Amino acid sequence: MSEKPSESPDLRTALDASRQRRRTVWLSIAAVAVVAVIVGVVAIVANLTRSEEPAAAAAEERLSLRIAVSEDSDFQSAIADIAAEKGLDVTWVNVDDWVLPNTELAAGTVDGNAFQHILYLSNFNAQNDEDLTPVFSTLITQWGIFSATLGDTDEIPDGGRIAIPDDPSNGGRALGILASAGLVELSKDAGDFPSVDDVTANPKNLQFVPIAATTIPQQFDDPSLSAVVVGLSYFDPSQGITADKALYLDDSLDEKNLPYINVVASRADNADDPAWKILEEAYADPRAAAALEKEDKGATVLVQVPVETLRTKLADLEKSAAANG
């Protein structure tokens, strides 16, 4: 397996801050528990002295969100449980698709969605004249080149068939990874959405096989394919595909991968809903990180990128998507 090291100050700083925040929260749990007991006693006394007040007046109004996703997961269940403790009821709406989470959001049938990176979002906005926007960052998925039969990129034969995602954003990412691995070269002006037409050098005469990203893992064992390029988390755990089995593993925290930061998105007119702040806090909870690690075994990592950075990059990507129209 070969892997090209790289540096990424911004994304790595965000990840380090996220990890430090989780450590700080764990160290605070004991103190919070003691304070909670004291507060509880005080609250009981206060309630006894104000028993004439209506119970409804003392109860804080709960908030709620309906969020579209493309699949169910234990990680999402953990997020919902944590949010519920904070006064936010989250309903995940599984639409089992990569288009409907955005169209349902644009139509107003859900409050937000949590399934996509900002490059994919930019393409949807540009093609549909929508203004969906990130409200906070969530995670990034590690991508790489994987093969059921080969042990190194050097073993990929001349004319080898390589499966890549068939959508513009993820297909472009796959081509970029093949370029980073030294298998192809891309035009310097390929932009954020490179296609096979932007391949300027292909020494092995590789054949690119566009397949829906979500189904590539199911075709991983296809003997007609030399390799596939896809996100590590897309594989089912039963397949046993881990990072150390990649022919080439992309550095997910490289600055070039900012477009692939996943986000929770909403409509622009709903982006200031106070419920989003509570949900963001749920994602930052150490229990959420533990649930993600248990589920994905390091295939994805939580990251905290300033929302203005995300929105600025989204605006740039939308211009690229519109130009590629």
Side-chain angles (χ1 to χ4, degrees):
M1 178 184 77
S2 57
E3 179 176 358
K4 182 179 294 183
S6 54
E7 297 296 331
S8 169
D10 291 343
L11 291 187
R12 293 188 191 282
T13 299
L15 180 58
D16 290 342
S18 177
R19 288 172 175 163
Q20 182 59 44
R21 181 175 178 179
R22 292 198 292 273
R23 287 196 294 268
T24 302
V25 171
W26 278 119
L27 291 174
S28 303
I29 288 177
V32 171
V34 172
V35 173
V37 171
I38 297 173
V39 171
V41 172
V42 173
I44 291 173
V45 174
N47 285 338
L48 289 175
T49 59
R50 299 185 309 186
S51 58
E52 71 280 1
E53 295 183 7
E60 185 175 342
E61 182 181 358
R62 296 184 67 83
L63 300 176
S64 64
L65 288 171
R66 284 172 51 83
I67 302 176
V69 293
S70 59
E71 61 182 355
D72 293 321
S73 71
D74 291 338
F75 172 61
Q76 292 165 356
S77 297
I79 292 292
D81 290 343
I82 297 167
E85 295 176 2
K86 300 175 180 292
L88 172 65
D89 296 320
V90 177
T91 300
W92 303 108
V93 182
N94 186 353
V95 295
D96 194 26
D97 185 272
W98 273 16
V99 176
L100 289 176
N102 277 331
T103 56
E104 292 297 301
L105 176 56
T109 58
V110 294
D111 302 301
N113 61 46
F115 80 105
Q116 66 190 328
H117 47 60
I118 56 175
L119 185 60
Y120 187 89
L121 175 59
S122 71
N123 196 48
F124 175 84
N125 278 349
Q127 290 186 352
N128 297 277
D129 194 26
E130 292 291 349
D131 61 352
L132 306 186
T133 187
V135 289
F136 61 89
S137 64
T138 56
L139 50 83
I140 188 167
T141 299
Q142 293 201 78
W143 275 55
I145 304 172
F146 303 89
S147 174
T149 57
L150 307 178
D152 193 274
T153 54
D154 291 339
E155 298 177 17
I156 297 176
D158 288 347
R161 300 176 77 245
I162 310 296
I164 64 174
D166 63 356
D167 63 279
S169 57
N170 288 305
R173 184 178 188 180
L175 290 171
I177 290 172
L178 290 170
S180 295
L183 292 169
V184 301
E185 292 181 11
L186 299 176
S187 170
K188 295 185 182 301
D189 58 357
D192 296 303
F193 295 89
S195 70
V196 294
D197 293 335
D198 294 305
V199 175
T200 56
N202 184 3
K204 288 179 176 285
N205 295 310
L206 301 177
Q207 301 179 51
F208 306 109
V209 184
I211 301 174
T214 53
T215 65
I216 286 180
Q218 286 76 51
Q219 302 186 53
F220 175 64
D221 294 323
D222 184 338
S224 72
L225 295 174
S226 298
V228 303
V229 188
V230 75
L232 184 56
S233 65
Y234 291 30
F235 290 99
D236 188 274
S238 65
Q239 293 178 273
I241 307 300
T242 54
D244 60 354
K245 293 188 177 181
L247 305 188
Y248 177 88
L249 190 66
D250 190 38
D251 182 1
S252 61
L253 297 181
D254 190 290
E255 188 62 26
K256 68 180 173 60
N257 285 326
L258 177 61
Y260 305 112
I261 295 290
N262 280 39
V263 298
V264 169
S266 184
R267 296 178 301 280
D269 62 4
N270 193 43
D272 294 328
D273 188 329
W276 297 125
K277 185 62 177 177
I278 299 175
L279 185 62
E280 183 176 8
E281 292 172 357
Y283 270 86
D285 191 287
R287 291 169 292 176
L292 184 64
E293 173 62 27
K294 181 179 180 180
E295 181 170 284
D296 281 354
K297 303 295 189 298
T300 57
V301 291
L302 290 164
V303 291
Q304 294 176 318
V305 177
V307 69
E308 288 308 319
T309 299
L310 297 171
R311 290 173 179 170
T312 298
K313 187 61 178 179
L314 176 66
D316 292 340
L317 293 171
E318 286 175 346
K319 293 177 182 177
S320 297
N324 291 339

